[in-house]
Structures are given as C-alpha cells and as structure tokens.
C-alpha cells in the first residue's frame, strides 16, 4: 500500500490493482441498467409516441373517441411529471414509495431498471412523436393509397423512417443514462459511482479514485457513441447500388448520390 | 357507354369556410382515359383525392360499381388497392428500394407471396424502363425515374383505375417526356386512367375525354376535339387561351 509520501500515479495504480475488479463490476452494473433501461424506455416511448401521434377521429365512434382522450390525458401527465422532476428524486419516491405501500424492498438492480426505464420513456415518447411527425405526410398517404391500414402504414413505412431520424437522439439518451445512473447511488445501487465513493472513502483518496472513475465513464460513453454511429450508417444502406444486370451484362456499381441522374 | 366504374354524385368539400368542391357530378367508365384540367385551386386535385378518401368529402357520395365507398361494410382498403394513385411528389417509400416499393403493397394488402410479388414487380419495373434500378433507393434516383417507379408500384397492385395527381408537375422539363411516354403506353393498353394535368398536349392527344374545372365545379366535359377547338363555355376559352399561348407539344 502506498504511504503518505506516495504520488498521484502510485495511488491510481494501487486502486487499479486492488479495486480493479470492483470498478469493473460497478461499470457492468452501470452499463446493464442504462442499456436495459434505454431499451425499455424506447419501447415505452414507441408505444406512447404512437398513441399520441395518431390523429383523433370522431368517426371511430364516441366511445372510442373519449377513451382515447382519457388515455392521452394520462400519457400526457406521465410525460410532464417525469420530465419535470429530477431522476434522483424519482428514485427516492419510487423506491421508498413501493416499500412503504407494498412492504417489499425491491432488489436494487430491478429498482434501478424500473426508474431508468420510466424516466427515459417519458423523454423518448416526445422524441418518437416528433420523429413520426418529421416523416413527410406523403409517405403515409402513398401507403394508404395502395390499401394499407393505418397500422401497416406506420409499421412498414412511417416508423422505420421515424426511428432512423431519431437514432441520434436515442444514442444521446443512452449516453445520458450511462452517466445519470450515478444518481441511483442514493438507493444503494452498486453502480460505478457507488463503488467509487466507497473505495475513495475507505482510503480518503477522492481525486485518485474519481480520476479512474471518469476514465471508465468516458470509455463507456465513447464506445457507445461509436457503435451507434456505425449503426446509423448501416441503417442508411450502401451509398452505391448494384445495377440489376442480365447474365450477359456483368453487375456494375454506380455511384448514386444526391438523387442526380446516371445512365 | 362503357360500364361505369366510379361515379361521383353531388360531391362537395370544404376546408373550414373555404369551399373547394361544389356539387360535382362525374363518372369514369371502363377503359376511359379522362384528363381533368383547370387552373390551380380549381379543385381538381381535391376531387381526385376525395375519390380514394385521402380527403373526406363534406357532402355527396362516391360510388364504386354502384356501392357507396363510405358504407359501413365497404372494404376501403381493398378499394384503394384497386384504385391506384400516382402523386405529384412521387411519394416513394424512402426506406425501401425500388423493388421493395413495388412489393410491399402486394404482400401486405393483396397477401401475395414474396416470390410472386417480386416477379410481378419486376415485370412492371421493366415496363416503365426501370428494371436496371431495382436495387436503388429513392434518394439515388432522378425525379423522372422516381415517378416511373411510382407508376410501377401502382400497376403492381393490378388496379382497375389509376388516378394521376399532376404526375409531371414536379419534374424538370427534360424528364416530363419520359413519364408521359409511359402514361401514353398505359392508355394504349386499355387501362382506365384519370389524370389531373397541366400537360395540354397529353390531354388533347391521348385522352378520350377532357374535363375542365373552375371554382370548384365542372364547367365543361367533352371530347378533346370539342374542348380544344370549340369550347362552349367562355371560362374554358379563357383558360385555354391563357395556357395555349404556345402550341401544345405533341407527346
């Protein structure tokens, strides 16, 4: 163990050697909760955004019309409440609220997952709704005009384009979640920040420990943003397309950029 | 008189206080090629869009083989599959290749198999001269190419009638010809077509009947010879004098 005269890097090395596995496990919990929470939040966001983007039609019948109105009001309240309060407060209210009402203590991983999902869902609902509205209405008209139902037109035409458009925002939300799961330390979720605080407190070496912690956070978020960028490119498909040739004409590749003509 | 496919009766449509269509009566017979002409804002596109319920009429009715398309038991989706539409802005599905654009409707609406759908799609893409570009995405195609794919997409559904909503208005002049040539072939093949257009040459040379609209009503409807050489109504004469300052180009 380094002593009082030891320098910064000696302590950093010491922590990496002795606490390395603890950091990794903390990073694992952080990544697990933020990844599953973002995915679940995205599913919530898709469902809520879909419902909120669907035009209300009186012709569907009065019962259905008013049911939709009520559902929308509830969804609207959900979005407003969770966007207007800090996640750290939501964590306290949900965790201690459940234990007070149901007399159960949620396992910390499950608690973290639930809190991150609900919080992310609120943000992504609005992003999905915006994504749906950003798709040219002509796309849906064309789908309806060949006989698709509203649902089919959304599934096959509008949502794939909407999701492509919101992918950067989705990646943003994932990165935010990797960092913001640190607030879950208030309900003792053993994510990266929680284990760091514990290690630092034991040796009273806050700078050294949190230097390592910030490096770990950076590596995680940087890797994730690269992967998402790659995914975006993949969704766009190849820049070039293959000329559909006969057996006598070999397939030729043409550059097809910007919608200009090529012969 | 050929068998009537679509009949429009007393159709009216308002957007708020603005009355776009007023008591329009109109019908399309089997095999007819009808063009609707008139100045911008005369209600021609709205009439077309009311016919497949992309716009909901505020009054009157649309009959398909004498059945009201707004009846409760009427299968609107199959109707739309049988009444194709080609848009001014092409509206190709941007997330799909040219081939997929022509396949998705057949599979999802007509429930054809993928193999069958692709075969039919290729046939029609070939017919519009786009068979080399089946793997291209819309963003990689020119306007004229997009519109030809859009026509193939509509044809792949084997429509009984094809509605064209100003199919060449968004195209560069040099690309108008390639789209009109495809439409001319279709007309010759006996397809029933209803074309909202500003291409007077097409209306005069290819269509069986020309409908002139102004101010939300049908002013005059007759053969191209009568409309273009001896229009009865002064408003028709006035409109044609304005747009025909240069002779219409034959297609």
């Amino acid at each position: 163990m380094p002593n009082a005269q030891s320098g910064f890097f000696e302590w950093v090395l010491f922590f990496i050697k002795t606490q390395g596995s603890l950091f990794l496990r903390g990073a694992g919990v952080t990544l697990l909760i933020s990844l599953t929470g973002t995915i679940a939040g995205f599913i919530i966001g898709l469902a809520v955004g879909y419902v909120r983007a669907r035009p209300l039609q009186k012709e569907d019948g009065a019962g259905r019309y008013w049911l939709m109105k009520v559902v929308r009001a509830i969804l609207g309240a959900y979005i407003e409440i969770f966007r207007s309060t800090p996640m750290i407060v939501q964590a306290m209210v949900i965790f201690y609220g459940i234990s007070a009402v149901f007399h159960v203590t949620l396992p910390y991983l499950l608690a973290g997952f639930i809190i991150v999902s609900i919080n992310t869902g609120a943000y992504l609902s609005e992003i999905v709704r915006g994504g749906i509205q950003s798709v040219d209405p002509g796309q849906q008209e064309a789908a309806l005009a060949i006989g698709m139902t509203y649902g089919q037109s959304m599934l096959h035409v509008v949502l794939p384009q909407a999701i492509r458009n919101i992918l950067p925002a989705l990646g943003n939300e994932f990165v935010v979640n990797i960092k913001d799961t640190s607030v879950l330390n208030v309900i003792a979720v053993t994510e990266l920040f929680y284990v760091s605080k514990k290690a630092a407190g034991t040796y009273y070496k806050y700078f050294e420990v949190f230097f390592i912690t910030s490096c770990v956070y950076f590596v995680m978020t940087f890797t994730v943003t690269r992967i998402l960028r790659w995914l975006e490119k993949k969704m766009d498909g190849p820049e070039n397309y293959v000329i559909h040739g006969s057996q006598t004409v070999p397939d030729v590749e043409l550059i097809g950029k910007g919608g200009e003509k090529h012969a | 008189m050929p068998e009537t496919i679509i009949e429009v009766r007393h159709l009216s449509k308002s957007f708020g206080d603005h009355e776009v269509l007023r008591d329009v009566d109109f019908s399309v017979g089997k095999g007819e090629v009808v063009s609707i002409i008139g100045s911008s804002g005369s209600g021609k596109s709205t009439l077309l869009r009311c016919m497949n319920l992309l716009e909901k009429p505020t009054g009157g009715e649309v009959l398909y083989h004498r059945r009201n398309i707004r009846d409760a038991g009427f299968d609107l989706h199959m109707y739309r599959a049988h009444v194709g539409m080609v848009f001014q802005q092409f509206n190709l599905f941007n997330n799909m290749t040219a081939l997929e654009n022509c396949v998705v409707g057949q599979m999802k609406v007509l429930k054809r198999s993928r193999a069958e759908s692709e075969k039919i799609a290729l046939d029609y893409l070939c017919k519009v001269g786009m068979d080399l570009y089946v793997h291209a995405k819309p963003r990689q195609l020119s306007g004229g190419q997009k519109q030809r794919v859009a026509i193939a997409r509509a044809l792949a559904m084997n429509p009984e009638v094809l509605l064209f909503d100003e199919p060449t208005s968004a195209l560069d002049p040099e690309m108008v010809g390639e789209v009109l040539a495809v439409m001319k072939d279709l007309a010759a093949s006996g397809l029933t077509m209803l074309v909202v257009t500003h291409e007077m040459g097409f209306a005069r040379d290819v269509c069986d009947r020309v409908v002139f609209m102004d101010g939300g009503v049908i002013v005059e409807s007759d053969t191209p010879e009568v409309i273009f050489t001896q229009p009865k109504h002064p408003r028709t004469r006035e409109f044609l004098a304005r747009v025909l300052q240069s002779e219409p180009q034959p297609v």
Side-chain angles (χ1 to χ4, degrees):
Chain A
M1 187 178 145
N3 56 39
Q5 275 77 47
S6 304
F8 175 76
F9 287 107
E10 281 165 82
W11 276 104
V12 168
L13 276 175
F14 167 75
F15 278 115
I16 291 173
K17 255 185 236 157
T18 60
Q19 315 276 318
S21 67
L22 212 64
F23 278 112
L24 283 184
R25 219 172 310 150
V29 171
T30 291
L31 212 52
L32 180 68
I33 293 180
S34 50
L35 179 66
T36 53
T38 307
I39 291 172
F42 178 52
I43 293 167
I44 295 174
L46 269 182
V48 176
Y50 179 89
V51 171
R52 279 167 60 89
R54 177 163 193 159
L56 270 181
Q57 291 182 322
K58 280 228 157 104
E59 292 145 37
D60 292 343
R64 222 187 118 104
Y65 178 81
W66 285 105
L67 177 72
M68 286 305 291
K69 276 224 149 191
V70 172
V71 168
R72 268 179 201 222
I74 294 170
L75 296 179
Y78 155 64
I79 291 171
E80 290 311 323
I81 290 168
F82 279 87
R83 287 201 311 173
S84 314
T85 51
M87 190 157 82
I88 193 166
V89 176
Q90 292 163 12
M92 299 296 262
V93 171
I94 291 175
F95 185 73
Y96 291 108
I98 285 177
S99 81
V101 175
F102 300 103
H103 305 290
V104 286
T105 307
L106 285 181
Y108 70 89
L109 264 181
L110 182 64
F113 167 70
I114 291 174
I115 291 158
V116 173
S117 309
I118 297 179
N119 181 279
T120 307
Y123 282 95
L124 288 183
S125 300
E126 283 299 88
I127 291 174
V128 168
R129 190 169 67 93
I132 290 173
Q133 284 167 354
S134 76
V135 176
D136 172 15
Q139 296 283 311
Q140 183 153 42
E141 279 191 352
L144 295 176
I146 56 172
M148 286 193 198
T149 61
Y150 178 85
Q152 285 175 324
S153 72
M154 289 301 280
L155 183 65
H156 300 295
V157 177
V158 178
L159 282 178
Q161 296 181 52
I163 291 171
R164 167 62 192 88
N165 289 349
I166 65 170
L167 216 55
L170 202 62
N172 221 6
E173 200 61 32
F174 187 19
V175 168
V176 166
N177 277 341
I178 289 175
K179 296 182 292 176
D180 282 6
T181 45
S182 57
V183 306
L184 296 175
N185 81 86
V186 295
I187 55 167
V189 176
T190 57
E191 42 68 50
L192 183 55
F193 183 83
Y194 183 86
V195 299
S196 306
K197 203 169 69 171
K198 234 172 139 181
T202 310
Y203 296 93
Y204 213 70
K205 285 286 172 193
Y206 285 91
F207 179 40
E208 288 80 356
V209 168
F210 280 98
F211 174 76
I212 301 171
T213 308
S214 49
C215 290
V216 178
Y217 272 119
F218 181 81
V219 169
M220 281 197 287
T221 52
F222 189 76
T223 313
V224 164
T225 46
R226 292 304 106 175
I227 292 173
L228 285 166
R229 187 65 56 80
W230 173 81
L231 196 70
E232 271 177 48
K233 282 221 171 102
K234 196 156 166 73
M235 272 185 88
D236 286 341
E239 196 68 53
N240 306 338
Y241 57 89
V242 177
I243 288 285
H244 184 73
S246 66
Q247 274 138 348
T248 51
V249 184
D251 282 355
V252 192
E253 251 184 78
L254 279 191
I255 309 283
K257 269 189 193 159
E260 276 314 303
K261 54 180 176 278
H262 16 248
Chain B
M1 185 69 190
E3 178 198 354
T4 301
I5 298 178
I6 301 182
E7 189 179 356
V8 171
R9 279 194 201 155
H10 306 297
L11 196 76
S12 37
K13 170 72 184 174
S14 314
F15 294 103
D17 291 337
H18 182 54
E19 231 183 356
V20 185
L21 292 176
R22 282 182 295 167
D23 199 25
V24 172
D25 286 292
F26 170 74
S27 66
V28 193
K30 200 170 177 57
E32 261 195 307
V33 179
V34 183
S35 66
I36 306 179
I37 61 172
S39 44
S40 299
S42 56
K44 3 182 242 313
S45 286
T46 307
L47 172 60
L48 209 66
R49 291 167 58 84
C50 281
M51 290 174 71
N52 63 1
L53 288 194
L54 284 182
E55 299 294 350
K56 304 231 159 53
T58 32
E61 51 197 18
V62 178
L63 306 178
Y64 175 63
H65 292 293
R66 299 204 203 103
R67 289 196 58 200
N68 189 333
I69 65 169
R70 298 187 82 181
D71 275 352
F74 189 84
D75 187 345
L76 180 63
H77 302 296
M78 278 326 261
Y79 167 72
R80 280 172 166 166
H82 292 142
V83 179
M85 179 128 177
V86 175
F87 297 86
Q88 180 176 358
Q89 298 297 338
F90 331 124
N91 295 350
L92 285 185
F93 305 135
N94 291 325
N95 53 325
M96 301 179 195
T97 63
L99 183 67
E100 288 163 347
N101 261 281
C102 302
V103 164
V104 66
Q106 297 185 63
M107 286 179 67
K108 302 301 169 190
V109 181
L110 303 179
K111 311 288 179 201
R112 289 178 184 154
S113 70
R114 172 166 289 278
E116 190 189 3
S117 303
E118 285 189 354
K119 190 179 162 296
I120 293 170
L122 271 174
D123 279 352
Y124 284 110
L125 283 165
C126 203
K127 202 168 181 176
V128 298
M130 285 300 292
D131 47 326
L132 288 181
Y133 301 91
V134 293
H135 300 306
K137 287 274 184 83
R139 66 188 147 92
Q140 295 163 323
L141 299 173
S142 73
Q145 292 175 325
K146 279 190 234 190
Q147 194 60 298
R148 284 189 280 151
V149 173
I151 292 172
R153 174 176 70 181
L155 290 173
M157 304 295 287
N158 300 117
E160 202 176 348
V161 190
L162 210 45
L163 311 176
F164 292 82
D165 186 7
E166 303 197 26
T168 57
S169 298
L171 297 176
D172 291 341
E174 65 205 284
M175 294 173 189
V176 170
E178 68 187 55
V179 171
L180 287 182
V182 168
M183 290 171 60
K184 196 179 169 188
D185 283 349
L186 288 178
S189 75
L191 181 70
T192 311
M193 293 163 62
L194 185 52
V195 188
V196 169
T197 187
H198 290 289
E199 292 295 328
M200 294 304 139
F202 183 84
R204 190 191 58 185
D205 300 338
V206 180
C207 294
D208 305 313
R209 186 152 59 94
V210 178
V211 173
F212 172 67
M213 285 186 74
D214 191 37
V217 295
I218 291 180
V219 176
E220 198 167 344
S221 166
D222 217 316
T223 59
E225 292 77 43
V226 175
I227 294 279
F228 283 96
T229 57
Q230 43 201 319
K232 295 183 193 77
H233 205 284
R235 279 194 283 177
T236 316
R237 276 199 290 273
E238 205 179 291
F239 170 77
L240 288 173
R242 225 177 323 126
V243 297
L244 295 183
Q245 277 166 348
S246 55
E247 262 302 284
Q249 299 300 310
V251 288

